[in-house]
Amino acid sequence: MTTSSTSAPLPQPFRSARARRLNLSWVNIKLAIGATMILAVLLFGLIGPFFWDTELAYVGSSPRNLPPMWAEKGRADHPLGSESMGRDMLAQLIVGTPSSLKVGFIAASIGLGVGLILGSCAGYLGGRVDTVVRTISDSVVTIPSLAVLVVIAAFVKMTDTTVMALILALFAWPGPTRVVRAQVLSLRERGYVRMAQLSAASVPEIMFMEMLPNMLPWLAASFTGGISGAILGATGLEVLGLGPTRVPSLGMIINYATTASALLRGMYWWWFPPMLILMIIFTGFFLITIGLDEIANPRLRGVKA
Amino acid sequence: MAEPILQIKSATKTFGGGFLDPNPPLVALKDFNLDIYEEPARITTIAGESGSGKTTLANAILGFLPLTSGQILYKGIDIYSMNRQQRLAYRKEVQAIFQDPYEVYNPFWRVQHIFDLVVRRFGLAQTKQEARDAVEDALNLVGLRGDEILEKHPHQLSGGQRQRVMVARAYMLRPRLIVADEPVSAVDASLRAMILDIMLRLRDEHRISFLYITHDLSTAYQIGDEMVILFQGITAEMGQTTQIVENPKHPYVQELIASIPAPNPRRKWATEIKLPPEDVMRFGNPNSCRFYPRCPHRMEHCLNAQPPLYKIDTTDHEAACFLYDPQASR
Amino acid sequence: MTNVHMEIPKVLEVNDLSVHYLTPRGAVIAANNVNFYIRQGEIVGLVGESGCGKTTVAMAILQMVQSPGKIMAGEIKINGQNLLDLSEAELRRRRWRELALVPQGAMNSLNPVLKIKEQMGDAIAAHEPIRGRALKERVLELLDDVGLPARVYNLYPHELSGGMKQRVCIAMAIALNPPIIIADEPTSALDVVVQRVVAQTLLDVKRRLGVSMLMIGHDMGLQAQMVNRVAVMYAGNLVEIGPVEAIFEAPQHPYTQLLIEAIPSIDERKPLKVTEGLTHDLRNPPPGCIFQFRCPLVREACLEARPPLERVAADHFVACPIYRYRRPA
């Protein structure tokens, strides 16, 4: 394998029992833990509605200000309690979680899609196209996104998560563009790209069949980083009360909790659970991203026989 | 005499030296001329050291590097102003194999992938079976079998196998000319003969010409028919390979051949050689003979102009040195 | 017959050296029981193709084998002292004083942000208590020894050509007058003419300073010009070692014969000799001779046990049982 520059022995790559069986030799521990966390949160949101009545997430559906079931006055039919408008906590979490994840996913996907197109054109075609794309993406990156988002959100009527995702996508594309462009620039000089050109391959063929497969780890890392960033932006807007009002989301729950002074009232069951889920989401995506980064780099070093 | 298939006319390539570049421009290739004929098939060696311009020439011929001035004509058409159809025809007739047998493979795909690309793009087969047969045929030519090669990933093959697969790929297109850029430099010495032998067989049995680009004059001597020796972008000497090696005329070529270490412990290098510091030689006077600082036969005359190619005797042996100027009065 | 050679002391002895690379899928045997020595004032060439282990042996001698490589067994003695017995601190003292390296791709081992005078000065000052003017004179003297002009003293590495950088590395290697220099492919990536200059510099240095050298490479022509004896390695094993004339004119081991035949001649055009390149898995060497899959003379006896090095003539050893059936050279 690769030799390191220190004299300490290289740690053997971690392999869980399942990884050994499936020969997933590229899985490392950060990726595994992060993926598990996100999977857990995802399942919670997707499978939850089959086990719990999501109607309870709406105003007035439950008794108000109920503490969770392990406290006195708590009831078993509202295990995590309820808040001042009569919404059951567990139901809110079950509905709000996928909504937050959805925003992140859509925004990051749009960002990656745009980034792929712009970045490839800029990197492969070079010249003026490259200069234009680079200037714009580098400028957008420096704009303080939350401030601008707040202004936009104040004017645009946010009815649902898709609209929000589109607005967030405005800031999600420069990152992937730069990553893709850097990758294309370096891959463009590779021998196999030359061979493909000699085989009269068309430009899309070269981009998608030759270069893209070798960019996957970087793209994946950029994507998960993008999801994380989009959820952060969305949550930021929601906590400030600028998110979609129809559908409960984790950020909105926190917003209601803040406006109703839940902290001062000691209603920890109101503000803590959404925060906990958000922490799990962010940490999970962070671990996946750095796990993928680790895979992306040794793969490069290990490629030469 | 048939028409040349490839004509390189006054090809010049300069790098840098633009408005924002503090260094003087680097002339990688200056007024290079060469005609390559397809009948009879032959191996033409372009020999030179690093910085001689041979890689620049290879890239220019393959369409990767537009020239600063001059033209590369394929059947009369400038390759840098071809339309799509003409380009496709050019790619079918002029192929390449490169030095690094690993870099040319996409690590993501199996070896089968490179053949699929070629079959698809050039319409080499109508059915899957035809394609499979064509690939197997090409692999057999280089001494390999499909079942031991196609399903593997590039890193699972040895360097010699990878290089042979590349030759098979080029052969599938039945090109007229294969540009071979240092094809055996990265292959073990004991396996080089295998690749060189394949090149000879392609020339003799399939009438494919080669442009063999190398710095190793020994292998060039073994397989080359004609040779062009480049020095800092200029043709120093050209002619039949045997003539140049046995009877070099240009002082640089003489120095070069004398410096090749003979694999005979009883025959050491004849004299000690002393070079002026190499950094002086690169950016010297652009109008003088490039070899002036190192030339043991230099004359006043040589500072004023780069000598053109002069014919030696009546053969096709030429050298770019004022020593062979028929009009020179000494 | 009295052998004058036997009286010259040995400066480097490598005895039964084995180096393995421990990968998760098994140990790669990079060097297997390698035995050779270098006498004072001689140059021994170490040749072989990719994967033969010559660089591994060089790294082992320098005690620079990096994980996952590990020296499993053997002795490396310099002037009688076994390096494997020494601590890291003592090794550091000895490196450069007793054993210097001219690395492959020396262009990349010079620090690009330091001038030559600083790099050479630092290397010397780290081992000897000389400073200031004396140090400067020493550096200039070394530059002159390798035929470089004095102005190189003030230049940065990127201002020098490949050949000049390589000669700076040679100058650094001889700075402390070590008895042994290991030159690992010192002229690869250099042009033929520049290669000749660098090779001459090395020979000149050896003549004047009486240094012994281990010259690692794969260019047989260069070996013929430079070395006194040649050691041939194949897949981690030393298969033949002998005087350079004998190796080139009458090689005994089938692999050496293959290597010599494969050298393209610039004297006459001969038909190419094509050989098969079957190799074994480096993790699973076959029992018996390591060359059995490619050897044109292979027999039963070759498959049983690994043939030991046997003496063929004065100073000439071969690891091939078939030798016994042939007349000695």
Side-chain angles (χ1 to χ4, degrees):
Chain A
M1 269 277 278
T2 55
T3 52
S4 64
S5 54
T6 64
S7 53
L10 282 177
Q12 292 297 331
F14 171 80
R15 274 144 145 287
S16 66
R18 196 212 278 149
R20 267 195 291 269
R21 254 188 299 130
L22 297 175
N23 192 28
L24 295 169
S25 54
W26 43 272
V27 176
N28 63 40
I29 192 168
K30 298 179 186 74
L31 186 60
I33 295 182
T36 314
M37 288 165 92
I38 299 298
L39 207 62
V41 169
L42 200 61
L43 283 176
F44 177 68
L46 291 177
I47 310 226
F50 294 111
F51 292 96
W52 197 252
D53 184 7
T54 53
E55 292 296 315
L56 295 175
Y58 293 103
V59 175
S61 55
S62 329
R64 311 190 313 165
N65 299 327
L66 273 179
M69 63 188 214
W70 55 81
E72 63 166 279
K73 287 215 260 165
R75 286 160 41 172
D77 58 338
H78 294 285
L80 290 178
S82 69
E83 34 94 283
S84 64
M85 299 286 269
R87 288 182 275 229
D88 175 56
M89 283 312 303
L90 185 57
Q92 282 196 340
L93 292 175
I94 290 178
V95 178
T97 305
S99 143
S100 292
L101 287 172
K102 187 170 128 187
V103 167
F105 191 77
I106 296 179
S109 301
I110 298 177
L112 186 63
V114 171
L116 258 178
I117 299 174
L118 289 181
S120 313
C121 292
Y124 198 74
L125 302 172
R128 232 168 282 167
V129 175
D130 183 25
T131 313
V132 166
V133 168
R134 205 160 28 114
T135 314
I136 299 181
S137 71
D138 285 356
S139 312
V140 172
V141 146
T142 60
I143 297 176
S145 51
L146 196 61
V148 174
L149 285 171
V150 166
V151 170
I152 297 179
F155 284 97
V156 173
K157 199 123 59 129
M158 276 232 249
T159 45
D160 61 7
T161 49
T162 322
V163 175
M164 187 152 180
L166 284 170
I167 296 180
L168 286 166
L170 280 174
F171 288 96
W173 66 270
T177 304
R178 292 166 62 147
V179 168
V180 170
R181 175 182 173 273
Q183 283 298 300
V184 169
L185 275 180
S186 101
L187 292 178
R188 194 175 61 168
E189 301 304 319
R190 290 292 158 89
Y192 54 85
V193 171
R194 283 274 160 103
M195 285 321 271
Q197 289 169 334
L198 272 178
S199 304
S202 59
V203 172
E205 252 176 346
I206 293 182
M207 292 243 242
F208 293 108
M209 297 208 58
E210 303 293 331
M211 297 206 267
L212 191 63
N214 290 300
M215 293 200 275
L216 287 177
W218 282 273
L219 292 182
S222 178
F223 184 59
T224 53
I227 297 181
S228 203
I231 297 182
L232 186 65
T235 311
L237 290 177
E238 289 158 5
V239 165
L240 292 172
L242 294 168
T245 44
R246 290 279 192 87
V247 182
S249 62
L250 296 173
M252 289 307 273
I253 301 174
I254 298 179
N255 173 251
Y256 295 143
T258 322
T259 46
S261 307
L263 194 59
L264 290 172
R265 288 158 73 174
M267 296 172 73
Y268 63 88
W269 61 91
W270 196 355
W271 56 263
F272 184 67
M275 278 220 296
L276 180 64
I277 297 189
L278 281 167
M279 284 196 316
I280 295 177
I281 293 179
F282 286 127
T283 314
F285 277 119
F286 174 71
L287 285 174
I288 293 180
T289 308
I290 58 176
L292 285 172
D293 259 345
E294 254 181 43
I295 292 172
N297 290 325
R299 177 86 85 68
L300 236 202
R301 268 187 270 123
V303 144
K304 281 238 177 265
Chain B
M1 197 44 141
E3 273 297 303
I5 185 180
L6 199 65
Q7 278 178 297
I8 305 168
K9 291 185 188 298
S10 283
T12 303
K13 179 69 188 174
T14 314
F15 290 105
F19 179 59
L20 295 169
D21 188 345
N23 299 317
L26 181 67
V27 181
L29 204 59
K30 187 133 176 17
D31 287 326
F32 181 76
N33 290 292
L34 185 64
D35 287 339
I36 300 176
Y37 295 88
E38 54 178 331
E39 287 296 327
R42 72 196 69 182
I43 299 183
T44 307
T45 308
I46 309 276
E49 309 277 78
S50 65
S52 60
K54 59 189 198 299
T55 311
T56 306
L57 181 65
N59 286 329
I61 293 176
L62 292 172
F64 295 136
L65 199 63
L67 298 170
T68 310
S69 72
Q71 292 181 308
I72 298 181
L73 300 174
Y74 167 69
K75 292 193 174 156
I77 311 172
D78 185 335
I79 65 175
Y80 287 102
S81 34
M82 284 179 165
N83 63 34
R84 227 171 5 136
Q85 240 175 331
Q86 291 166 329
R87 237 351 164 53
L88 193 67
Y90 182 62
R91 289 266 178 252
K92 188 167 189 305
E93 305 264 284
V94 175
Q95 272 299 320
I97 51 183
F98 294 105
Q99 175 175 8
D100 186 340
Y102 190 72
E103 255 267 301
V104 288
Y105 287 89
N106 190 331
F108 188 79
W109 303 109
R110 293 179 206 271
V111 176
Q112 175 74 49
H113 172 78
I114 56 164
F115 291 108
D116 289 342
L117 192 57
V118 162
V119 166
R120 192 174 60 239
R121 269 289 146 187
F122 291 97
L124 297 176
Q126 308 299 332
T127 66
K128 268 204 165 175
Q129 188 55 43
E130 266 183 42
R132 262 200 294 268
D133 291 337
V135 172
E136 189 67 38
D137 175 54
L139 284 173
N140 288 339
L141 186 86
V142 298
L144 294 171
R145 287 192 337 262
D147 55 358
E148 62 188 17
I149 297 288
L150 292 172
E151 288 304 307
K152 293 212 170 112
H153 278 278
H155 66 265
Q156 293 171 295
L157 302 178
S158 74
Q161 285 174 319
R162 290 195 289 258
Q163 199 66 311
R164 283 188 281 165
V165 170
M166 273 299 147
V167 178
R169 174 201 161 278
Y171 169 70
M172 275 191 76
L173 292 166
R174 306 291 191 273
R176 307 276 66 209
L177 178 69
I178 294 183
V179 176
D181 189 355
E182 307 260 22
V184 291
S185 307
V187 173
D188 280 341
S190 56
L191 301 173
R192 277 180 199 170
M194 193 154 39
I195 311 255
L196 294 174
D197 183 61
I198 293 173
M199 285 168 66
L200 287 174
R201 273 190 291 131
L202 286 176
R203 178 194 67 185
D204 296 331
E205 293 164 24
H206 300 271
R207 299 193 344 254
I208 297 179
S209 295
F210 280 85
L211 205 59
Y212 177 48
I213 300 180
T214 184
H215 64 275
D216 179 6
L217 287 177
S218 320
T219 50
Y221 184 62
Q222 296 301 313
I223 69 165
D225 299 312
E226 290 162 6
M227 182 147 77
V228 173
I229 300 196
L230 289 177
F231 178 71
Q232 290 190 14
I234 304 272
T235 302
E237 192 158 344
M238 60 192 273
Q240 296 295 315
T241 308
T242 40
Q243 273 194 316
I244 296 183
V245 172
E246 288 159 15
N247 197 8
K249 294 296 183 189
H250 192 288
Y252 166 64
V253 181
Q254 290 170 339
E255 184 183 82
L256 196 60
I257 297 200
S259 298
I260 297 175
N264 181 347
R266 302 198 199 270
R267 212 176 60 186
K268 307 282 185 189
W269 284 305
T271 50
E272 274 243 343
I273 186 177
K274 254 204 146 32
L275 287 180
E278 291 100 11
D279 52 326
V280 153
M281 299 190 290
R282 243 294 142 194
F283 292 114
N285 182 350
N287 291 325
S288 71
C289 172
R290 295 298 171 94
F291 195 59
Y292 183 82
R294 271 157 74 174
C295 188
H297 305 290
R298 59 177 178 243
M299 310 179 273
E300 267 295 322
H301 195 18
C302 305
L303 268 178
N304 303 330
Q306 168 64 38
L309 283 165
Y310 293 110
K311 276 194 178 295
I312 312 283
D313 312 324
T314 51
T315 62
D316 51 358
H317 188 174
E318 298 175 30
C321 179
F322 286 124
L323 287 172
Y324 305 103
D325 183 356
Q327 274 128 27
S329 48
R330 293 279 221 100
Chain C
M1 169 177 96
T2 41
N3 203 329
V4 168
H5 285 312
M6 288 310 158
E7 283 144 32
I8 304 178
K10 300 178 186 165
V11 282
L12 175 69
E13 279 177 83
V14 174
N15 296 325
D16 293 326
L17 178 67
S18 285
V19 181
H20 292 192
Y21 276 82
L22 308 168
T23 73
R25 274 185 253 141
V28 173
I29 302 178
N32 187 11
N33 254 306
V34 174
N35 278 285
F36 67 93
Y37 54 82
I38 302 183
R39 284 196 214 91
Q40 196 164 56
E42 73 172 345
I43 303 185
V44 172
L46 187 56
V47 302
E49 297 173 315
S50 54
C52 72
K54 50 192 199 288
T55 308
T56 304
V57 167
M59 289 294 120
I61 296 175
L62 290 162
Q63 294 293 294
M64 278 163 56
V65 173
Q66 288 177 347
S67 174
K70 189 164 163 4
I71 298 182
M72 304 298 286
E75 294 183 317
I76 299 172
K77 292 189 183 172
I78 296 197
N79 283 322
Q81 167 71 51
N82 188 354
L83 293 182
L84 299 175
D85 290 337
L86 297 176
S87 69
E88 181 59 37
E90 283 168 4
L91 268 177
R92 226 178 303 132
R93 259 206 305 274
R94 273 157 212 269
R95 273 196 207 112
W96 230 250
R97 275 178 174 283
E98 297 199 9
L99 189 57
L101 174 69
V102 178
Q104 188 174 16
M107 13 292 239
N108 300 324
S109 56
L110 290 177
N111 189 331
V113 300
L114 291 179
K115 292 193 182 182
I116 300 297
K117 68 179 173 201
E118 281 151 25
Q119 295 195 53
M120 291 183 67
D122 287 350
I124 301 174
H127 286 90
E128 274 181 27
I130 78 176
R131 303 279 185 273
R133 175 112 72 86
L135 184 59
K136 176 169 179 180
E137 278 173 14
R138 180 107 181 94
V139 172
L140 287 173
E141 191 190 319
L142 286 168
L143 287 175
D144 187 52
D145 279 348
V146 295
L148 287 171
R151 63 190 172 80
V152 169
Y153 186 73
N154 273 312
L155 293 179
Y156 284 97
H158 67 263
E159 295 175 290
L160 302 175
S161 70
M164 292 168 92
K165 281 191 277 210
Q166 198 67 326
R167 284 188 275 168
V168 166
C169 288
I170 297 176
M172 281 172 77
I174 61 174
L176 299 172
N177 267 317
I180 309 171
I181 293 182
I182 298 186
D184 186 357
E185 310 230 28
T187 61
S188 69
L190 293 179
D191 296 339
V192 154
V193 184
V194 175
Q195 173 180 267
R196 184 174 161 193
V197 173
V198 171
Q200 275 169 190
T201 311
L202 277 170
L203 284 172
D204 188 48
V205 151
K206 174 224 166 187
R207 238 189 326 263
R208 276 185 297 113
L209 303 178
V211 173
S212 316
M213 281 194 220
L214 181 65
M215 175 86 188
I216 300 175
H218 59 268
D219 181 344
M220 296 304 283
L222 194 62
Q223 294 280 319
Q225 296 295 309
M226 293 197 64
V227 310
N228 303 112
R229 280 190 301 137
V230 178
V232 181
M233 281 187 76
Y234 179 77
N237 292 272
L238 189 74
V239 296
E240 185 166 359
I241 177 167
V244 63
E245 297 87 2
I247 295 280
F248 275 84
E249 290 162 12
Q252 296 299 306
H253 194 281
Y255 178 62
T256 317
Q257 292 170 346
L258 174 63
L259 269 187
I260 301 290
E261 265 161 19
I263 305 174
S265 149
I266 197 93
D267 294 326
E268 41 153 348
R269 289 181 95 148
K270 330 181 269 208
L272 298 167
K273 182 142 194 284
V274 179
T275 46
E276 264 313 307
L278 287 171
T279 46
H280 55 268
D281 178 4
L282 287 172
R283 269 178 278 262
N284 260 327
C289 179
I290 201 80
F291 194 53
Q292 58 187 257
F293 296 126
R294 280 173 76 175
C295 186
L297 304 169
V298 66
R299 294 180 204 210
E300 278 279 332
C302 306
L303 306 178
E304 288 161 6
R306 207 185 137 254
L309 278 173
E310 292 176 23
R311 170 186 282 211
V312 172
D315 233 12
H316 191 166
F317 299 83
V318 184
C320 180
I322 299 193
Y323 159 71
R324 283 188 227 115
Y325 306 110
R326 282 188 264 121
R327 266 172 301 141

